[in-house]
Amino acid sequence: DYDFDYVQGVTILRSPLSSSSSVGTENYLIAKYEYTPAARDVDGYVVGGRAQQWIGDHLRVGVTALKEKTAEADQKMVGADIHIRHSEGTYIEAEVARSKGPGFGSSASADGGLTINDGAALAGTGAALRFEGRADLRDIGAGIDGYIGAYAERRDEGFSTLDYQTASDEDLWGVYAEIEPSDDLRLTFHYDDFEDDDGKVVREGGAEVEWQSTERLAWTAGVLHEDKVTISETGRRTDVALRATFTESDALEWYVYGQVTADRD
């Protein structure tokens, strides 16, 4: 299933209780593996590079290129990107890339190598586009801390990189925001929408409220709605959660947590 890159929320659990060290701080273990088959030699070469340049304080342009020459895995890829910023928190950026040839397949594991899923390389030629814009609320005169943003991506069938093997045309877009009306209150929102030409659809929207009611007690409430049409899941689901966190000292924090599925089809 598709995992959105821009999901903002941390309240709703998608699996048993995670190893969160505190509200909003997730712990991740990431392992990368490189495998060279022993049955035969892999003759060829790969060469690539990136160049980027700031033009003044507000404009950056960049180009990336890759060429892989390994017989059945021959691949070429080129890309260009531009980043325009008003400040560190207010910017727009765009990127375009194009690949030709299958490259190598990939193997990935979600449990540290106990189980491995192999992904075959996809032949063909394809292009991809990406756009993102973000604005700091103080930069646009809102008078409060926070930000709003939006993004959109398009990947054509045949587009192939180490991160993506695109078997059909894909479209992805979303919006997100974080607003802090006061030092004790924070609101976050997000909506993500994915669809491809094979009929896969994943739509997800969520909202959270974090309130520091006293120096000792903090409340976090969240709601997440999903609507999916995938190989493994079809239907919709809405989950809500509430968490009360008690801070006794710098060395001791404990919490009470509850989550329920409010609607499921």
Side-chain angles (χ1 to χ4, degrees):
D1 296 329
Y2 197 87
D3 292 325
F4 292 115
D5 294 332
Y6 290 82
V7 172
Q8 303 296 304
V10 296
T11 298
I12 302 296
L13 296 180
R14 302 169 185 271
S15 60
L17 194 62
S18 64
S19 58
S20 301
S21 59
S22 63
V23 175
T25 303
E26 300 291 337
N27 300 318
Y28 296 95
L29 173 64
I30 300 175
K32 293 185 177 182
Y33 302 87
E34 181 175 341
Y35 170 66
T36 301
R40 62 181 177 85
D41 292 333
V42 179
D43 294 325
Y45 65 90
V46 57
V47 60
R50 171 169 173 80
Q52 68 178 38
Q53 177 65 47
W54 281 97
I55 303 173
D57 296 329
H58 303 289
L59 175 63
R60 186 196 70 201
V61 294
V63 293
T64 306
L66 166 75
K67 181 177 182 180
E68 192 153 29
K69 189 70 173 177
T70 49
E72 67 273 10
D74 288 356
Q75 186 181 50
K76 296 179 182 179
M77 190 190 73
V78 293
D81 56 272
I82 185 171
H83 179 96
I84 305 171
R85 72 177 185 184
H86 171 75
S87 66
E88 185 174 346
T90 301
Y91 60 84
I92 58 174
E93 60 184 20
E95 181 179 7
V96 59
R98 184 175 180 83
S99 70
K100 180 179 180 180
F104 285 100
S106 61
S107 298
S109 176
D111 54 17
L114 297 177
T115 59
I116 296 177
N117 298 317
D118 294 322
L122 297 176
T125 300
L129 298 169
R130 183 183 67 87
F131 168 84
E132 182 181 2
R134 172 172 158 155
D136 187 290
L137 294 181
R138 292 202 177 271
D139 286 341
I140 59 177
I144 57 176
D145 292 331
Y147 57 82
I148 57 174
Y151 69 94
E153 298 180 15
R154 166 77 179 186
R155 291 185 287 272
D156 294 340
E157 178 182 357
F159 180 71
S160 173
T161 70
L162 293 176
D163 295 316
Y164 301 105
Q165 297 287 330
T166 310
S168 64
D169 293 351
E170 299 177 346
D171 291 288
L172 170 65
W173 65 274
V175 293
Y176 56 92
E178 180 177 302
I179 304 170
E180 297 185 36
S182 67
D183 293 338
D184 300 327
L185 182 63
R186 182 171 70 170
L187 312 173
T188 59
F189 311 91
H190 78 272
Y191 176 79
D192 302 281
D193 191 297
F194 173 85
E195 189 170 354
D196 68 18
D197 282 358
D198 287 337
K200 182 176 181 179
V201 177
V202 182
R203 297 187 175 101
E204 179 180 293
E208 288 190 9
V209 179
E210 297 180 35
W211 177 41
Q212 187 76 38
S213 59
T214 67
E215 185 175 347
R216 175 174 177 260
L217 176 60
W219 296 91
T220 306
V223 58
L224 180 70
H225 178 77
E226 297 175 295
D227 197 344
K228 293 184 176 183
V229 179
T230 70
I231 294 176
S232 60
E233 295 178 307
T234 296
R236 66 178 184 270
R237 173 176 177 147
T238 303
D239 294 313
V240 294
L242 179 66
R243 172 171 170 159
T245 303
F246 299 85
T247 303
E248 307 296 350
S249 66
D250 292 340
L252 176 61
E253 178 184 281
W254 62 280
Y255 63 86
V256 179
Y257 178 89
Q259 177 176 320
V260 64
T261 300
D263 179 63
R264 179 173 179 267
D265 179 12

